[in-house]
Amino acid sequence: MAGDASGALRDKRQVRKPPRRITPDYLQRAAMHYLERYAAPAAQLRRVLERKVVLSCRHHGDEPGRFSSLLDEVVARCVASGLVDDRRFAEARAASLRRRGQSTRAVAAKLAAKGVTRDLATEASAAEPEDELAAARIAAKRKRIGPWRRPDRPFERQKEIAALARAGFSMTIARTVIDDGCGR
């Protein structure tokens, strides 16, 4: 009998509820729910809401294009209320990526992928040469190359410089980090 009960539970978990019909209230609540959990630029919020619209329209037989103006209104309301601020998002995300050892180029690319405008992404990812060098050191430490190489691994200077160059750091910075024995 215990097998029957667990089989019934598995069946209930596999069956998904049908998506709700799109209404202005539903989209606003969905936006609020998403923004409670994640910081996002306006373009990212719009993409999330568009996915919900497409899923609902596919199920209910509606045309997704009908809801374009409604999406614009919800996103504009979130921007006007201050819940969505592309500049604040870009600066916070850039600082976070920089602390993880991302190069200026990588930060700008990741911000652009999230929907931040190119100008804002460039501005937010801009860093002083010392900050770029510090990020390269963090990246080298994470990759265990340069001064942080394991003692049992052979020194392959070109490969290690290439790894940092692929991560978006300039050759000058990559050489400095790899050749710097006192960067620990």
Side-chain angles (χ1 to χ4, degrees):
M1 258 211 220
D4 295 333
S6 67
L9 286 175
R10 254 186 254 124
D11 291 340
K12 284 185 180 179
R13 273 187 257 149
Q14 291 175 351
V15 175
R16 287 192 162 180
K17 294 189 302 187
R20 302 178 85 183
R21 282 203 177 270
I22 300 299
T23 64
D25 289 339
Y26 169 69
L27 274 183
Q28 188 66 43
R29 283 194 311 272
M32 294 300 170
H33 183 68
Y34 184 77
L35 292 173
E36 283 176 2
R37 294 180 299 164
Y38 306 105
Q44 177 71 19
L45 177 63
R46 183 173 174 79
R47 279 195 298 264
V48 167
L49 295 177
E50 280 176 345
R51 283 195 302 264
K52 288 186 174 296
V53 167
V54 167
L55 188 64
S56 175
C57 289
R58 190 179 309 144
H59 181 76
H60 296 290
D62 293 334
E63 183 61 36
R66 286 186 13 198
F67 299 101
S68 180
S69 62
L70 185 58
L71 281 171
D72 291 337
E73 290 173 20
V74 170
V75 172
R77 231 179 289 142
C78 291
V79 169
S81 68
L83 292 172
V84 173
D85 183 358
D86 286 1
R87 178 170 300 284
R88 186 178 62 219
F89 171 81
E91 289 170 354
R93 184 76 175 144
S96 172
L97 291 170
R98 176 93 36 223
R99 283 191 303 271
R100 287 189 357 211
Q102 298 286 314
S103 68
T104 300
R105 290 181 193 134
V107 170
K110 288 182 181 189
L111 289 175
K114 283 289 188 182
V116 175
T117 63
R118 182 177 301 209
D119 295 336
L120 184 56
T122 303
E123 183 182 324
S125 65
E128 296 295 320
E130 301 85 36
D131 295 338
E132 186 80 354
L133 185 60
R137 285 192 173 120
I138 293 168
K141 188 174 184 178
R142 289 178 70 139
K143 294 175 185 282
R144 293 179 162 247
I145 58 177
W148 297 275
R149 179 184 329 93
R150 292 193 325 240
D152 60 329
R153 292 186 63 195
F155 178 56
E156 299 182 51
R157 182 175 183 268
Q158 288 304 108
K159 285 186 177 183
E160 292 179 0
I161 289 173
L164 288 179
R166 283 190 303 273
F169 296 103
S170 70
M171 289 300 285
T172 305
I173 288 180
R175 284 187 192 112
T176 302
V177 170
I178 297 303
D179 294 340
D180 184 20
C182 60
R184 289 181 194 229

